[in-house]
Amino acid sequence: TETPILKNMLDYEVEKGMIENKTTKRNLFDTKIINALMPRPSEVIKTFNEKYKNNKEEATDYYYKMSIASNYIRKDRTDKNIVWKTPTEYGDLDITINLSKPEKDPRDIAKAKLMKSTSYPKCLLCKQNEGFRGNINHPARQNHRIIPMEFAGENWFLQYSPYVYYNEHCIILNAKHTPMKIYRKTFENLLGFVEKLPHYFAGSNADLPIVGGSILSHDHYQGGHYTFAMEVAPIEETFEVKGYENTKVYRVKWPMSVIRLNGENKEEIIDLAEHILDKWKNYSDESVEILHETDGEPHNTITPIARMKNGKYELDLVLRNNRTNEAHPMGIFHPHS
Ligand SMILES: [Zn+2]
């Protein structure tokens, strides 16, 4: 579907035999039309940075609205998703029935990680997508604008997800096409990002297939202006970890194992997160099917989510294990029926 003005123009193109009447062709062509109206990347960056100096929320507000107005986020399509909240013992869970983006099979994602990309741009997250004209296998992105950001000593870009699942669903992508990895630097990067945009949260998908995201070949994070149920879920237990006394450690009441770190000392939180990651990576408990490796293949990793909370740093660490078995080929600990 297209906005009425674009639909009119596309119908005319089809009638005159200028394009084939297929969704992919129409999508490529409507993006080309929008491109004629788009500000240059440098102009978008300049406006964003000017607003950022004055008010950070104003900057993201401008950029988000532009990403919708440019039809980069095809709002008419994402509005078709069926979204509701359902009360549970863990809080009000957000449920989305996704009708706008095809979901991938976790087994295909695992295969894709091993595939060497020969296309240009290398993947859907590469910065080279900005302005790309597209083809049958790759969406047109002439209406796409990305914002350069520097944090934790590295170069990143901010963009929104074309398939927004929640308010201002953004993607933070590495300037380089480099694989997803959960390590100390990930915690530094996530906390560095939320320092830059304190009204946004930022999380990383895990770096192993089954429990990870749909693109493992390009390092990226997800963020946004939204409060998910896990952020406000009740605390079950409080801990103190020796040597990290400035950091509050909690266990969150959640269907998965979540450790929450909170404090003012960013370095200490990063140190403790790294310590927990190292311990978890080598942790096994056969009685509950957790094996940290089989045949040399690692299975344990973490899904981290960072946010600023009342001026303090907060980092949630979700412990993940990606083992599969015959009964659960999509993952023993992955949501399944
Ligand atoms: Zn890439």
Side-chain angles (χ1 to χ4, degrees):
T1 60
E2 298 115 6
T3 55
I5 298 171
L6 282 174
K7 188 180 180 308
N8 244 334
M9 294 170 89
L10 290 163
D11 287 344
Y12 177 81
E13 303 290 341
V14 170
E15 194 190 299
K16 294 286 168 192
M18 293 162 82
I19 57 164
E20 275 176 87
N21 196 19
K22 286 183 186 150
T23 311
T24 41
K25 296 276 178 173
R26 290 178 76 105
N27 287 348
L28 288 172
F29 205 79
D30 70 11
T31 310
K32 194 173 175 184
I33 295 170
I34 293 280
N35 184 43
L37 306 166
M38 287 298 292
R40 284 190 295 267
S42 60
E43 293 172 282
V44 175
I45 294 165
K46 188 164 169 261
T47 309
F48 181 93
N49 287 340
E50 269 165 14
K51 289 181 186 293
Y52 182 90
K53 262 182 241 157
N54 180 45
N55 180 323
K56 292 167 184 174
E57 288 203 41
E58 214 177 280
T60 50
D61 219 44
Y62 150 76
Y63 182 43
Y64 188 60
K65 284 188 180 135
M66 192 211 71
S67 301
I68 292 170
S70 68
N71 212 33
Y72 160 73
I73 297 171
R74 291 177 186 259
K75 200 77 173 48
D76 53 334
R77 224 171 270 178
T78 55
D79 282 347
K80 287 198 180 117
N81 289 347
I82 302 168
V83 181
W84 76 96
K85 280 182 190 284
T86 192
T88 72
E89 58 171 306
Y90 307 104
D92 294 335
L93 293 195
D94 297 82
I95 312 234
T96 305
I97 300 178
N98 172 21
L99 297 174
S100 59
K101 181 193 178 190
E103 285 291 346
K104 295 185 200 165
D105 186 313
R107 288 163 292 195
D108 290 335
I109 293 167
K111 261 186 248 161
K113 192 186 183 182
L114 304 171
M115 243 154 48
K116 198 166 162 45
S117 173
T118 51
S119 61
Y120 178 92
K122 276 195 183 123
C123 79
L124 287 166
L125 293 176
C126 279
K127 62 183 175 189
Q128 287 84 357
N129 280 283
E130 184 177 40
F132 187 61
R133 70 196 293 267
N135 56 51
I136 291 298
N137 299 314
H138 200 109
R141 290 286 187 243
Q142 288 119 316
N143 57 350
H144 185 32
R145 298 292 179 266
I146 57 180
I147 307 287
M149 283 190 129
E150 204 193 311
F151 50 85
E154 272 184 20
N155 293 317
W156 293 80
F157 289 97
L158 175 72
Q159 67 174 51
Y160 288 103
S161 164
Y163 305 102
V164 283
Y165 281 141
Y166 49 84
N167 187 44
E168 297 173 42
H169 176 180
C170 69
I171 299 175
I172 305 138
L173 50 103
N174 199 311
K176 285 178 270 179
H177 181 83
T178 176
M180 292 286 293
K181 195 175 170 196
I182 300 293
Y183 62 138
R184 181 188 173 89
K185 195 78 182 60
T186 313
F187 308 133
E188 288 174 14
N189 292 340
L190 292 174
L191 291 171
F193 174 80
V194 296
E195 255 177 349
K196 283 252 161 178
L197 292 176
H199 57 297
Y200 275 20
F201 75 88
S204 175
N205 276 309
D207 54 352
L208 295 178
I210 307 287
V211 296
S214 59
I215 299 179
L216 294 172
S217 57
H218 193 131
D219 200 13
H220 68 287
Y221 308 130
Q222 319 251 346
H225 201 181
Y226 194 72
T227 304
F228 277 107
M230 196 174 87
E231 179 177 340
V232 290
I235 298 297
E236 280 189 317
E237 217 179 328
T238 306
F239 303 91
E240 201 172 273
V241 184
K242 236 193 177 152
Y244 307 90
E245 281 82 7
N246 299 308
T247 303
K248 289 213 162 67
V249 184
Y250 305 103
R251 179 156 55 86
V252 181
K253 185 178 161 76
W254 197 248
M256 290 189 277
S257 305
V258 183
I259 300 170
R260 173 164 300 160
L261 312 181
N262 178 295
E264 275 165 16
N265 187 334
K266 186 170 75 166
E267 283 309 307
E268 192 180 284
I269 291 178
I270 292 165
D271 287 344
L272 180 52
E274 187 186 26
H275 174 70
I276 293 170
L277 175 66
D278 287 344
K279 290 282 171 201
W280 171 245
K281 272 184 161 175
N282 295 298
Y283 180 85
S284 293
D285 182 349
E286 266 183 64
S287 70
V288 287
E289 301 247 31
I290 295 170
L291 300 178
H292 76 272
E293 59 109 30
T294 51
D295 302 325
E297 182 122 351
H299 293 302
N300 287 1
T301 184
I302 276 177
T303 300
I305 299 131
R307 62 186 80 90
M308 297 300 301
K309 199 89 185 211
N310 306 319
K312 289 183 180 166
Y313 299 95
E314 193 163 272
L315 187 62
D316 286 349
L317 305 173
V318 189
L319 309 182
R320 312 297 298 268
N321 175 284
N322 81 338
R323 279 186 64 229
T324 55
N325 60 20
E326 231 166 86
H328 303 299
M330 313 278 254
I332 302 172
F333 304 103
H334 201 59
H336 49 64
S337 53

